[in-house]
Amino acid sequence: MDVGASHFISQNRHFVRSALSQFTPHDFMAYIYKHNIAFHEKTHGQLFCDDSSKDILNMLLDECRTHHATIQLNTTVHTITPCDDGFLLSTQTSQTLSARSLVIATGGLSIPTLGASGFGYQFAEQFGHKIIPTQASLVPFTFTDKVGEMIKSLSGVSLDVVAFNDKIRFELPMLFTHRGLSGPAMLQLSNYWQIGESIWVDLLPQTDIGQLLLSHKKSHPKQKIRTALTPYFAKNLLVALEGHFWQSLAHIELANIKDKELIQIGQSMNTWQLKPSGTEGYRVAEVTKGGVDTKDIFGNTMQSRLHDGLYFIGEVLDVTGHLGGYNFQWAWSSAFVCAMDIIKR
């Protein structure tokens, strides 16, 4: 699995390099083998537990027990105060905890039903850190126009596409839902999208649809456009595309359609321009883009440049990985280099 910097988004695109090189996917797999967790590969480099993802949680808990870590649940930290030998943390029960080193590993704002909050950003700002504006990412797009109604009618249909904008392109599956467009192609593209921007979808990658129609016009002049495209799209999808791209020509034989019209239909389908009204937001977003500005964090240790003994790891930082395990790897790698530095203190 390639976990180079090109798979991550940050204001400082080189920030991830040191941590990722110090704790690689092979290092994490060593723990998988150590704990005898059965897994399988769905797509190249993407591994899944045979039984349950709880196997990974149990592995981490076992490691905590091995190293005599104390886990304190149902505890809300209200204030963090720096002191001469570290930090003092006060809780909702008026308990005071002391720490020589403090690691903020609270994640982002995604999926608040699991407890996500802005806690980490709040305390980062307390210690003088800048927060890069956050937004939901790896998240489905929503649509409110007539195209949105068409998309809703196709809920459950998926196909392989190329989704792209002027920044990047992804050749992956796309899924129509009752809310909009999802699937790996859309989730990946959401990392590179801002409200008000358009996106483009090639509905038949590697095929020039216009040239395909011209070829059928020569070989099967009495065919209609829908017939020529039948081998390439599901029936209900093809009906919807017909209503959107060539409704006025639906009942006309190819022989009676001008070449330039067929070429235009093909171009429109190979570069289908869409303008999302928004996304489904933090409610379902897999990650939060943005976060603690990495310019004030040491990339090789995750320690704050502004306050000795203060560390930030994982998603709370302005580091967002692509879909496919990259955000997990960032969590492991940033945590590792942080732990190694704390041990040396």
Side-chain angles (χ1 to χ4, degrees):
M1 180 181 181
D2 175 18
V3 291
S6 63
H7 292 285
F8 294 86
I9 302 166
S10 174
Q11 295 286 318
N12 176 3
R13 62 191 182 92
H14 299 294
F15 177 78
V16 300
R17 293 183 184 276
S18 178
L20 292 174
S21 67
Q22 292 183 64
F23 190 85
T24 70
H26 296 292
D27 294 315
F28 181 73
M29 290 305 299
Y31 283 92
I32 299 296
Y33 292 120
K34 173 184 174 182
H35 289 264
N36 298 311
I37 296 175
F39 63 90
H40 59 278
E41 185 173 340
K42 283 189 177 179
T43 55
H44 181 66
Q46 297 179 14
L47 308 179
F48 297 81
C49 296
D50 285 354
D51 298 321
S52 168
S53 58
K54 288 183 179 179
D55 291 342
I56 302 298
L57 174 60
N58 291 331
M59 176 192 80
L60 297 173
L61 291 173
D62 285 344
E63 288 292 325
C64 286
R65 283 188 285 269
T66 298
H67 296 281
H68 309 292
T70 299
I71 299 176
Q72 188 164 326
L73 305 175
N74 301 315
T75 302
T76 300
V77 175
H78 285 310
T79 63
I80 300 176
T81 306
C83 58
D84 291 340
D85 57 351
F87 305 86
L88 295 176
L89 292 74
S90 64
T91 71
Q92 86 280 14
T93 59
S94 299
Q95 180 184 18
T96 299
L97 305 173
S98 62
R100 186 164 56 91
S101 300
L102 177 63
V103 181
I104 304 294
T106 53
L109 300 169
S110 304
I111 316 182
T113 54
L114 296 181
S117 74
F119 178 94
Y121 308 134
Q122 171 189 336
F123 286 107
E125 289 181 313
Q126 174 188 328
F127 287 98
H129 284 271
K130 176 186 174 183
I131 305 299
I132 302 300
T134 60
Q135 68 181 67
S137 206
L138 291 183
V139 62
F141 291 111
T142 57
F143 299 83
T144 56
D145 53 12
K146 288 184 178 180
V147 173
E149 290 300 314
M150 183 193 83
I151 291 171
K152 184 177 180 180
S153 72
L154 294 168
S155 181
V157 174
S158 66
L159 73 162
D160 292 334
V161 303
V162 172
F164 61 99
N165 57 18
D166 59 357
K167 306 178 188 74
I168 201 163
R169 58 195 292 118
F170 295 101
E171 187 167 359
L172 291 165
M174 179 179 78
L175 174 68
F176 293 87
T177 76
H178 67 290
R179 293 181 179 274
L181 293 176
S182 187
M186 295 295 106
L187 299 186
Q188 291 278 45
L189 196 57
S190 72
N191 267 346
Y192 297 88
W193 177 83
Q194 297 290 332
I195 191 75
E197 294 179 347
S198 292
I199 62 173
W200 285 263
V201 176
D202 182 347
L203 291 166
L204 199 59
Q206 315 305 326
T207 300
D208 185 323
I209 297 176
Q211 292 302 313
L212 174 67
L213 293 175
L214 291 177
S215 176
H216 275 259
K217 180 178 178 178
K218 290 182 179 179
S219 59
H220 301 88
K222 291 187 178 296
Q223 277 189 350
K224 297 179 175 62
I225 295 175
R226 185 198 300 185
T227 307
L229 296 179
T230 292
Y232 304 97
F233 299 100
K235 183 177 180 180
N236 58 341
L237 174 57
L238 190 56
V239 171
L241 295 177
E242 178 179 83
H244 184 70
F245 289 106
W246 70 89
Q247 187 171 23
S248 63
L249 302 173
H251 303 293
I252 300 177
E253 295 177 350
L254 289 170
N256 297 319
I257 302 175
K258 294 179 180 179
D259 287 1
K260 67 178 183 180
E261 290 181 297
L262 294 176
I263 292 172
Q264 180 58 51
I265 291 169
Q267 288 176 342
S268 296
M269 295 179 69
N270 283 131
T271 55
W272 185 17
Q273 184 175 358
L274 296 156
K275 193 169 185 177
S277 58
T279 71
E280 291 197 43
Y282 291 117
R283 182 181 63 85
V284 298
E286 296 198 17
V287 295
T288 300
K289 185 179 174 183
V292 179
D293 193 343
T294 58
K295 74 177 183 181
D296 291 322
I297 307 294
F298 289 105
N300 61 334
T301 65
M302 301 298 119
Q303 183 174 201
S304 166
R305 294 177 183 270
L306 308 180
H307 198 97
D308 187 54
L310 177 64
Y311 298 80
F312 296 89
I313 64 173
E315 192 181 343
V316 73
L317 287 162
D318 173 37
V319 175
T320 304
H322 284 185
L323 190 70
Y326 296 98
N327 290 290
F328 278 121
Q329 185 59 45
W330 172 245
W332 314 138
S333 297
S334 59
F336 176 83
V337 297
C338 169
M340 293 299 99
D341 194 62
I342 290 174
I343 289 172
K344 297 174 184 176
R345 289 176 60 82

